[in-house]
Amino acid sequence: MARCILLFAAVWLLGGCSSTVRLMPTPTLFTSDPGLFAAGKDEVADTTIEILYATNRLPIGPANARYYTRVRSNQLRLGVATLRVGDGTTSWEALEAMSTSVVEGERPKITLASTREVAVLDDGTGRPGADDEAFFDEVDALLQRVANRDLVIYVHGANTDFDRAAAQAAQFQHFLGRDAVVMVFAWPSAGTLLRYGRDVMTARRSEPSFAHLLQQLAAHTQAANVNVLAYSAGAMIASPGLARAAGDAEAAGESGRLRLGEIYYAAPDIDFPLFVENLPRYQGQVRRVTGAINLSDRALSFAQWMHRVSRAGRPNLADIDPAQTRWLVDASGRDELDVLSIRPDELPGLPASSHSFWYDHPWVSSDILLKLLFHAPPAARGLSPNSTEFELAFWTFPADYAERLPTVARALKAGRSP
């Protein structure tokens, strides 16, 4: 009985993700200096948000009104999702005000309004068909309309349905000032409370589809960089998928063809030894890898109990061998790997056990936005350096982060060091 109770608690903590998505707390980046919020242009002054999607979920319904099920498919479906902030009566002026200030009370819902499926890729390596080319042309057209020519792929966590995954991605499209192109990789999570074990198996089987997506985007779009933001169990897809895609590129003698930029793991729920094993396989083909960890993360504590090994978002160095430890320590002292330690007692208002700190806390979300917008290293983003007794370098938020943030942001925007 005790084991059943613990199992239920673990799944609730890891997978209570199927609830309604509401606009996340405004990043401190914009509450400290509202002028930095760049979405006030007439052409984007709308409470609807469009994002791209790629999904290996089996669909039902017509192409212009798909419902994506929790059943896995061997095909990758590409399209455009439209989401709405608020109940249809929310004005742009009200949304802009919420996006530049600390607003008390309930935040508006973000709901999926429609989907438009454009193309279907199989899991082979043949040339893209006419529909595929139309989708990639649409991606390039979007990239041409924004100042930031990077493509951001969001890989969601467990127990998340298609609607919620799209809504989470739309939040970052919005707070990136609508001046970026965001895609959600919506893998077929069950989206129900007690299916975490099934989601783990599905995530592992979705990794080849994610690797194939990276390869196709690199080959057929003009994205300057492809950035990846993987949350929780999304790391089970992103980490081995990046390793697979990078390995294929290296085998073909084209190690730079993927154009991988920032790789950000938020509270990664993946076996720590596997995560460390994968890192060297793709680390040389990306600009920078960041792992944001909370050693008090209660959800990952339960995940460790279920998997019998520590998670990358709550790592235990005893789970890896001395050679891997040395590699990790060396990499953390160079530019390509940043360990961001989330210390709840140092971040005002953050619950000690937080698993969703990366969008729940305005400091952390601000740091992610700066990283994605400017490819800036931690010091340039205003973070403080630290190291462990084993000389593992890591970064934390200083006590005066909110005060220094406007200066940091404006320096990055001007292309200089703060």
Side-chain angles (χ1 to χ4, degrees):
M1 177 61 72
R3 186 175 178 85
C4 290
I5 293 173
L6 282 171
L7 178 62
F8 182 85
V11 173
W12 181 79
L13 285 164
L14 282 162
C17 307
S18 299
S19 58
T20 299
V21 175
R22 294 185 179 277
L23 188 70
M24 68 188 191
T26 303
T28 305
L29 180 65
F30 306 128
T31 59
S32 61
D33 188 345
L36 292 171
F37 185 71
K41 305 172 186 175
D42 292 340
E43 61 267 27
V44 295
D46 196 327
T47 58
T48 60
I49 304 171
E50 280 194 347
I51 62 165
L52 303 172
Y53 69 84
T55 183
N56 60 334
R57 292 172 178 262
L58 190 69
I60 57 176
N64 63 347
R66 292 289 204 205
Y67 173 77
Y68 292 100
T69 70
R70 65 188 189 189
V71 178
R72 188 175 61 89
S73 167
N74 288 327
Q75 294 177 313
L76 196 58
R77 296 173 184 274
L78 309 172
V80 179
T82 301
L83 297 101
R84 178 182 295 111
V85 183
D87 59 4
T89 64
T90 305
S91 67
W92 167 254
E93 290 73 21
L95 177 56
E96 186 176 31
M98 291 178 206
S99 304
T100 55
S101 60
V102 180
V103 180
E104 298 294 335
E106 194 170 66
R107 307 284 275 179
K109 296 178 181 178
I110 303 178
T111 54
L112 182 66
S114 64
T115 59
R116 175 171 57 87
E117 188 175 294
V118 178
V120 182
L121 291 173
D122 62 28
D123 57 1
T125 57
R127 292 181 59 82
D131 290 345
D132 307 334
E133 291 180 347
F135 177 78
F136 295 133
D137 287 344
E138 189 160 349
V139 174
D140 282 343
L142 290 172
L143 289 168
Q144 290 298 318
R145 285 163 45 189
V146 298
N148 186 335
R149 300 297 173 85
D150 289 359
L151 177 65
V152 180
I153 304 178
Y154 171 61
V155 189
H156 61 82
N159 294 325
T160 300
D161 59 21
F162 182 92
D163 291 26
R164 182 176 177 85
Q168 288 174 325
Q171 302 218 56
F172 276 86
Q173 175 88 357
H174 175 65
F175 281 112
L176 282 166
R178 313 287 183 99
D179 199 21
V181 180
V182 175
M183 170 185 285
V184 60
F185 179 76
W187 56 279
S189 163
T192 57
L193 191 62
L194 296 173
R195 302 301 295 273
Y196 174 69
R198 174 194 179 276
D199 277 2
V200 169
M201 292 187 291
T202 304
R204 291 169 178 165
R205 292 169 181 165
S206 297
E207 169 260 311
S209 295
F210 180 69
H212 186 49
L213 173 65
L214 294 175
Q215 293 164 341
Q216 293 298 303
L217 290 171
H220 303 293
T221 74
Q222 299 301 311
N225 296 279
V226 176
N227 304 315
V228 177
L229 172 57
Y231 173 43
S232 194
M236 297 183 192
I237 297 169
S239 173
L242 285 160
R244 179 190 292 260
D248 289 347
E250 187 173 347
E254 301 175 321
S255 59
R257 75 180 182 191
L258 294 175
R259 302 194 303 282
L260 296 170
E262 306 294 340
I263 311 300
Y264 193 105
Y265 293 101
D269 178 16
I270 180 176
D271 294 358
F272 180 47
L274 177 60
F275 181 77
V276 176
E277 178 184 326
N278 284 332
L279 274 172
R281 297 173 59 191
Y282 64 86
Q283 168 266 329
Q285 297 191 41
V286 304
R287 293 185 68 139
R288 182 175 282 103
V289 177
T290 299
I293 66 175
N294 174 12
L295 294 178
S296 300
D297 188 324
R298 187 176 298 169
L300 294 186
S301 175
F302 279 107
Q304 177 176 331
W305 170 78
M306 295 181 72
H307 291 276
R308 298 292 188 255
V309 64
S310 67
R311 318 314 291 156
R314 198 172 183 271
N316 183 349
L317 291 178
D319 287 339
I320 59 177
D321 63 40
Q324 289 177 311
T325 300
R326 177 44 54 190
W327 184 91
L328 199 64
V329 167
D330 290 344
S332 73
R334 300 190 295 264
D335 288 341
E336 63 265 27
L337 176 64
D338 299 327
V339 179
L340 177 56
S341 179
I342 304 300
R343 297 177 168 181
D345 59 336
E346 297 177 355
L347 276 72
L350 181 67
S353 60
S354 177
H355 184 59
S356 55
F357 55 81
W358 63 282
Y359 63 88
D360 272 349
H361 199 278
W363 289 12
V364 188
S365 59
S366 295
D367 185 62
I368 294 175
L369 294 176
L370 291 177
K371 178 181 175 66
L372 294 177
L373 286 169
F374 300 109
H375 297 286
R381 303 197 309 267
L383 301 184
S384 298
N386 304 263
S387 64
T388 69
E389 58 185 292
F390 302 106
E391 298 182 347
L392 177 71
F394 66 95
W395 299 84
T396 57
F397 287 89
D400 64 344
Y401 179 76
E403 289 73 24
R404 67 168 68 181
L405 190 55
T407 300
V408 165
R410 293 204 176 277
L412 290 173
K413 199 169 183 178
R416 54 185 171 79
S417 298

